[in-house]
């Protein structure tokens, strides 16, 4: 068969956040752990940010990780990985000091540096500043034939190109959620935009600011505003009576164990429901104990000093936001008393995220993907989308699988194991398919 000069990879990753970075490591390390000397799969990752960045707009000073440093990109899968957090500390000449610090939870700044350090090891396999805009079957597909490749359309500036992949790992991350009808702009921000939008303001003009929500993002931003804007009135609009603590006690924390994925995946509707009923408070609408106490100390200190600069509007939700020029009027729904409207100079909606949703990216390909009775994608235990036989290519999800695999879907806790499982599945599929490809294979470091 003739050879076509097409750019084709065993694995293409969409997005290069921690999930696909962890997959890049698992693929890279596969050969040394694998049962034989199969060559490493060729892989390429496309990331729309201009350089590596992990929730940069929430890299607030002193904020800490919500998982142990041991739950890094690789350790749970390969404790001797050169991409572990401990390796990073060693390379940074800070291992001794870290241990002296006796803390399981590094700052987000430090973990970001670790992720950047690990990502730098894959510079030949990532294209930054590139966005995947669509996935489709190759135009040449014969009717009824199982197509083992898909085409991905890649946009970089005004240029577009197409690459082919035998396996695709979609890992595009959480989707910021605003209350219905509220639009973000230069004075109305979602927490995911926080530092960027804040940096565009003159702080002295921010005399009244508000933060909406009672989750970790809201509490961290409220504290930041209070500390950074000593002249400002800070409102915290929280739907509960007070912040609720994130349960990270050991028994509850077991729901993030690798084994909990099996319990969830192979469980019954009732057992899955129990996970959410009893353990949603490990992650959603909750705040770390330390941050709660930190904020309360500030609030109490205000009382001692007879000030009222930090105000918590509890049992309150935001209904609407009206904007006119520099003016922003917020309509509130309070179940405690009448606080119908608030005028602010800026308001931050720390109102959470929706899970990853691959439908738009899949486009027409989505019709080959099977859905459950609630209309959600069916996903195999190895995180592969369940498809009709026409689609021979493997499409894997890193995120967007809370309904099938449980609470770790959007988190870092199980990254190392999940990536290992996905890498194993992709490599296994490659071994199964002995058929020769009519395409020229592009080496991992080769630019297409
Ligand atoms: P992530 O969102 O990190 O990365 C997705 C990447 O895909 C992005 O870089 C994006 O630019 C890129 N992308 C999207 N669409 C694209 C396209 N079409 N083409 C190319 N690139 C595209 N969890 C935890 O376990 N412990 C913790 O401490 C925290 N801390 C934390 C802090 C904050 C502020 C938030 C908002 C969330 C957390 N999380 C967390 C949860 C969080 O989901 C998790 O830390 C990771 O970001 C998940 O990594 P992913 O790679 O899956 O997504
Ligand atoms: P979240 O936990 O989903 O919290 C969203 C909050 O917004 C909830 O309190 C919600 O209340 C409230 N809300 C929604 N609509 C509202 C409205 N109209 N009016 C008032 N309140 C409203 O989101 P998050 O805090 O962004 O956390 C998301 C994820 O990121 C979590 O996994 C978290 O752990 C992580 N995170 C980690 C760090 C860190 O590592 N340091 C920092 C920030 C975030 P209801 O529940 O009542 O709807």
């Amino acid at each position: 068969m003739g050879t076509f000069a097409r750019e084709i990879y065993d694995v293409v990753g969409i997005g290069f956040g921690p999930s696909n970075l962890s997959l890049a490591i698992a693929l890279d390390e596969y050969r040394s752990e694998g049962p034989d000397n199969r060559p490493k799969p060729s892989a390429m990752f496309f990331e729309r940010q201009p350089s590596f960045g992990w929730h940069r707009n929430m890299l607030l000073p002193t904020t800490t990780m919500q998982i142990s440093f041991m739950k890094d990109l690789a350790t749970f899968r390969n404790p001797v990985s050169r991409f572990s957090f401990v390796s990073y500390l060693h390379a940074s000449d800070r291992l001794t000091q870290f241990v002296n610090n006796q803390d399981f939870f590094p700052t987000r700044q430090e973990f970001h540096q670790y992720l950047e350090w690990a990502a730098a090891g894959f510079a030949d396999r990532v294209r930054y500043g590139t966005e995947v805009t669509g996935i489709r079957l190759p135009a040449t597909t014969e009717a009824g034939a199982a197509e083992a490749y898909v085409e991905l359309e890649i946009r970089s500036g005004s240029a577009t190109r197409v690459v082919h992949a035998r396996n695709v790992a979609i890992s595009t991350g959480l989707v910021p959620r605003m209350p219905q009808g509220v639009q973000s702009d230069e004075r109305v921000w979602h927490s995911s935009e926080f530092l960027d939008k804040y940096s565009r303001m003159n702080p002295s003009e921010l005399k009244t600011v508000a933060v909406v929500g009672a989750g970790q993002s809201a509490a961290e931003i409220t504290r930041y505003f209070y500390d950074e804007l000593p002249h400002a009135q800070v409102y915290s609009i929280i739907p509960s009576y007070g912040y609720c603590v994130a349960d990270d006690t050991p028994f509850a924390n077991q729901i993030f164990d690798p084994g909990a994925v099996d319990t969830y995946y192979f469980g019954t509707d009732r057992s899955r429901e129990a996970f959410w009923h009893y353990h949603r408070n490990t992650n959603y609408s909750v705040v770390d104990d330390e941050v709660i106490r930190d904020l309360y100390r500030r609030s109490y200190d205000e009382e001692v000093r007879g000030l009222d600069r930090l105000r918590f509007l509890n049992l309150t939700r935001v209904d609407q936001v009206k904007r006119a020029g520099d003016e922003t009027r917020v309509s509130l729904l309070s179940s405690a008393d009448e606080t119908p409207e608030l005028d602010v100079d800026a308001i931050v909606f720390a109102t959470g995220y929706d899970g990853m949703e691959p439908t738009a990216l899949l486009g027409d390909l989505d019709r080959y993907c099977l859905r459950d009775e609630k209309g959600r994608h069916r996903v195999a235990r190895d995180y592969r989308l369940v498809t009709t036989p026409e689609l021979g290519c493997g499409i894997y999800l890193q995120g967007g699988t809370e309904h099938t695999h449980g609470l770790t879907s959007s988190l870092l806790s199980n990254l190392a194991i999940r990536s290992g499982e996905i890498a194993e599945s992709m490599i296994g599929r490659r071994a199964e398919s002995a058929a020769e490809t009519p395409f020229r294979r592009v080496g991992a470091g080769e630019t297409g």
Side-chain angles (χ1 to χ4, degrees), residues 69 84-99 106 110 114 117:
F69 70 92
S84 69
F85 187 75
V86 170
S87 285
Y88 154 76
L89 288 173
H90 188 260
S92 312
D93 210 12
R94 234 179 19 246
L95 184 54
T96 314
Q97 295 91 318
F98 183 84
V99 173
E110 186 175 27
Y114 156 62
W117 169 86

Side-chain angles (χ1 to χ4, degrees), residues 14-15 17-19 46-49 54-55 58 65-67 108 130-132 171-174 353 410-413:
I14 308 178
S19 297
F46 295 95
E47 167 56 55
R48 68 181 173 196
Q49 296 187 79
W54 174 60
H55 301 300
M58 282 295 291
M65 293 300 295
Q66 301 199 292
I67 47 160
R108 292 200 57 238
T130 57
E131 180 170 12
V132 177
S171 180
T172 51
L174 295 165
Y353 296 80
S410 69
L411 301 176
L412 305 175
S413 330

Side-chain angles (χ1 to χ4, degrees), residues 96 156 160 176 180 210 268 291 344 349 365:
T96 314
S156 172
T160 49
Q180 214 176 0
T268 60
V291 181
V344 296
F349 283 86
L365 214 60

Side-chain angles (χ1 to χ4, degrees), residues 54 58 63-66 108 174 177 179 190-191 212-218 220 237-240 280 282-286 288 316-319 349-353 410-411:
W54 174 60
M58 282 295 291
T63 54
T64 58
M65 293 300 295
Q66 301 199 292
R108 292 200 57 238
L174 295 165
R177 184 172 56 220
H190 185 266
S191 56
V212 186
Q216 184 72 20
S217 300
E220 288 180 3
I237 301 165
I238 61 177
S240 49
R280 198 175 180 279
T282 52
N283 186 48
Y284 290 110
S285 310
V286 289
D288 282 351
T316 303
R317 300 183 80 84
V318 168
D319 186 25
F349 283 86
T351 43
Y353 296 80
S410 69
L411 301 176

Side-chain angles (χ1 to χ4, degrees), residues 184-391:
S184 106
D185 64 21
E186 70 277 10
R187 286 180 185 264
V188 178
W189 317 330
H190 185 266
S191 56
S192 58
E193 315 170 292
F194 180 64
L195 284 175
D196 178 39
K197 292 267 176 94
Y198 178 73
S199 69
R200 297 184 204 179
M201 303 294 294
N202 177 352
S204 66
E205 285 175 15
L206 294 174
K207 297 192 175 76
T208 305
V209 291
V211 182
V212 186
Q216 184 72 20
S217 300
E220 288 180 3
I221 293 171
T222 301
R223 181 175 62 177
Y224 182 83
F225 267 155
Y226 184 78
D227 293 350
E228 291 292 308
L229 302 173
H231 55 279
Q233 177 76 49
V234 179
Y235 288 97
S236 178
I237 301 165
I238 61 177
S240 49
Y241 197 72
Y243 296 112
C244 300
V245 70
D247 185 352
D248 71 343
T249 51
F251 288 107
N253 215 47
Q254 292 179 126
I255 57 148
F256 301 119
D257 290 355
V261 175
D262 279 333
T263 312
Y264 194 94
Y265 190 88
F266 296 110
T268 60
D269 284 347
R270 270 182 71 186
S271 66
R272 280 191 281 270
E273 178 50 34
F275 270 75
W276 292 106
H277 179 73
Y278 292 108
H279 301 297
R280 198 175 180 279
N281 69 343
T282 52
N283 186 48
Y284 290 110
S285 310
V286 289
V287 182
D288 282 351
D289 179 276
E290 180 221 331
V291 181
I292 293 177
R293 291 180 193 285
D294 219 21
L295 269 173
Y296 195 82
R297 262 192 296 276
R298 284 162 172 74
S299 170
Y300 182 74
D301 190 47
E302 289 249 304
E303 287 202 21
V304 172
R305 295 194 290 149
L307 303 174
D308 195 14
R309 203 165 70 72
L310 178 58
R311 290 185 63 182
F312 295 92
L313 305 181
N314 63 8
L315 301 175
T316 303
R317 300 183 80 84
V318 168
D319 186 25
Q320 282 181 44
V321 177
K322 290 190 200 112
R323 293 273 295 112
D326 288 351
E327 287 168 19
T328 306
R329 180 159 291 179
V330 185
S331 307
L332 303 170
L333 290 171
S334 167
S335 37
D337 53 22
E338 289 300 305
T339 45
E341 287 184 325
L342 193 63
D343 289 324
V344 296
D345 298 310
I347 183 164
V348 187
F349 283 86
T351 43
Y353 296 80
D354 291 323
M356 189 184 88
E357 177 39 77
T359 307
L361 204 52
L362 288 168
D364 188 45
L365 214 60
D366 195 51
R367 70 191 159 100
Y368 300 106
C369 302
L370 304 186
R371 294 189 177 247
D372 67 13
E373 63 289 350
K374 291 188 178 155
R376 301 168 303 191
H377 279 121
R378 288 182 54 201
V379 188
R381 176 61 184 82
D382 60 3
Y383 302 93
R384 189 180 169 201
L385 278 175
V386 179
T387 62
T388 58
E390 292 98 309
L391 196 65

